[in-house]
Amino acid sequence: MDFQARILDHFNASIDTKTYASEVLPPFIEVASQMMVQCLVSEGKILACGNGGSAGDSQHFSSEMLNRFERERPSLPALALTTDTSTLTSIANDYSYNDVFSKQIRALGQPGDILLAISTSGNSANIVQAIQAAHDREMSVIALTGRDGGDMASLLGQDDCEIRVPATVTARIQEVHLLVIHCLCDLIDEQLFGSNE
Ligand SMILES: O=C(CO)[C@@H](O)[C@H](O)[C@H](O)[C@H](O)COP(=O)(O)O
Ligand SMILES: [Zn+2]
């Protein structure tokens, strides 16, 4: 195997994805950040969920809210629904893995909260159910998706926001999702705490 060539294939594909994603995503990221700020100033919180790499992205986002992103500022209320293994395993064992996030949302979600729902395919059943539960709790949804948006896209309404990465490879979609998450963290800090230039 030509290790260097294979590695460069990933780097080049990632750069290409970011290039054409930057042509379409900024307006959606702006709207999503304003939704999050409106939620936070109204004493709401942000719940986040995803599977696999997207579970990691959910936890990455919540940690940068609860701790900090790049500046000193008060902690912000966010929670990744992907970390409590007792909750996750008991719901999956007693009911279904499809219910692991929606059951938590029905207990924790309040009107005005936001669900950050992350899925590269847009088709993971537990994320689809999480969106349905969020709507039942009068929450808005910010969906990070890819490909054609999947089943998630058709569930989203006018109070929600979909940030769909124009790519089909899961790894490339995830790399842009993380870029989006860091943009959101930056824009939230700028809007809530002023420019730190
Ligand atoms: O991170 C990766 C692939 O890069 C995988 O772990 C990936 O997250 C898993 O296959 C997930 O189950 C995919 O789910 P989704 O993104 O389609 O909702
Ligand atoms: Zn991954």
Side-chain angles (χ1 to χ4, degrees):
M1 179 196 330
D2 183 339
F3 283 84
Q4 298 301 313
R6 195 167 183 89
I7 291 165
L8 282 176
D9 283 349
H10 279 280
F11 274 69
N12 292 333
S14 183
I15 290 165
D16 289 349
T17 305
K18 290 184 179 77
T19 300
Y20 64 79
S22 65
E23 292 163 6
V24 296
L25 295 186
F28 298 94
I29 299 170
E30 178 181 346
V31 167
S33 75
Q34 291 166 338
M35 288 172 64
M36 288 181 163
V37 166
Q38 181 56 44
C39 165
L40 295 169
V41 297
S42 306
E43 303 286 301
K45 62 185 176 295
I46 302 169
L47 303 180
C49 61
N51 292 282
S54 298
D57 289 343
S58 300
Q59 291 159 210
H60 198 142
F61 173 77
S62 63
S63 70
E64 287 180 331
M65 296 286 287
L66 289 164
N67 181 30
R68 67 178 181 185
F69 178 47
E70 293 179 336
R71 69 166 79 181
E72 289 304 317
R73 54 100 167 115
S75 295
L76 297 171
L79 180 69
L81 302 176
T82 55
T83 61
D84 182 338
T85 50
S86 295
T87 296
L88 291 165
T89 54
S90 63
I91 294 172
N93 199 41
D94 297 349
Y95 296 93
S96 161
Y97 185 66
N98 293 346
D99 301 331
V100 292
F101 300 130
S102 55
K103 203 163 175 52
Q104 294 183 72
I105 291 164
R106 294 189 192 283
L108 299 171
Q110 295 298 323
D113 288 349
I114 282 181
L115 174 67
L116 179 62
I118 309 175
S119 172
T120 62
S121 66
N123 288 322
S124 288
N126 57 9
I127 308 298
V128 170
Q129 283 194 199
I131 290 173
Q132 292 163 336
H135 285 158
D136 290 347
R137 295 295 299 152
E138 297 176 51
M139 297 166 63
S140 294
V141 176
I142 294 171
L144 304 189
T145 65
R147 301 197 185 111
D148 62 0
D151 295 337
M152 286 167 62
S154 57
L155 288 177
L156 302 174
Q158 62 182 15
D159 294 332
D160 305 321
C161 178
E162 181 185 7
I163 301 176
R164 184 186 306 177
V165 178
T168 55
V169 174
T170 296
R172 303 288 86 81
I173 296 166
Q174 289 173 332
E175 287 150 10
V176 178
H177 280 174
L178 187 51
L179 198 59
V180 169
I181 283 166
H182 284 144
C183 288
L184 290 170
C185 291
D186 176 51
L187 293 174
I188 287 167
D189 282 0
E190 282 289 294
Q191 292 172 79
L192 286 178
F193 306 104
S195 176
N196 66 341
E197 300 299 327

